[in-house]
Amino acid sequence: MKFALLYHYDPSTAGPVEEEVADWMAFDGQVREAGLLVDEAGFHMRDKALTVSVRDGESTVTEGAPTSGPMLAGYYLLDVADMDTALEWAARIPTAAYGSVEVRPVVEFEFEG
């Protein structure tokens, strides 16, 4: 089963530190060595984002993303046996120590054609 591990933190209260790099490298190596990694990415800060909304058929693009509260910093997409296993891996993501990691099962559609 595939699970998205979405890691968030609130930059107004805490954030990554230089010493964390070794923890990230270790986590990344472990998840790859276990053969569970489907995809992963970290995101630039929210001031680099563009936000699109459509109202009444009209598309609007604004600079940045919402600036209050936790921000989505990145994700891992893992293929693991079950939710319990996904939760175990989520707890190992360094951001969990000062932010949070949301774990969501991924809907996998099967298309005919």
Side-chain angles (χ1 to χ4, degrees):
M1 249 182 116
K2 290 187 179 127
F3 291 87
L5 283 56
L6 309 165
Y7 51 96
H8 305 80
Y9 72 93
D10 186 342
S12 70
T13 61
V17 294
E18 191 67 33
E19 296 79 24
E20 188 178 305
V21 172
D23 296 336
W24 277 104
M25 299 303 289
F27 176 79
D28 200 69
Q30 292 163 359
V31 78
R32 288 173 189 275
E33 188 174 300
L36 305 174
L37 183 66
V38 176
D39 194 24
E40 58 88 17
F43 301 130
H44 287 279
M45 297 299 286
R46 43 187 165 201
D47 65 341
K48 302 287 186 202
L50 295 175
T51 301
V52 177
S53 58
V54 179
R55 302 292 182 270
D56 298 322
E58 189 79 23
S59 179
T60 303
V61 178
T62 55
E63 290 186 13
T67 57
S68 63
M71 70 170 201
L72 179 60
Y75 72 93
Y76 275 83
L77 181 60
L78 303 183
D79 193 349
V80 296
D82 52 35
M83 176 64 87
D84 288 338
T85 305
L87 292 170
E88 289 171 14
W89 282 99
R92 298 163 91 180
I93 291 178
T95 305
Y98 54 85
S100 63
V101 180
E102 180 181 349
V103 179
R104 287 199 194 182
V106 174
V107 177
E108 296 187 66
F109 295 102
E110 293 187 26
F111 296 98
E112 295 181 30

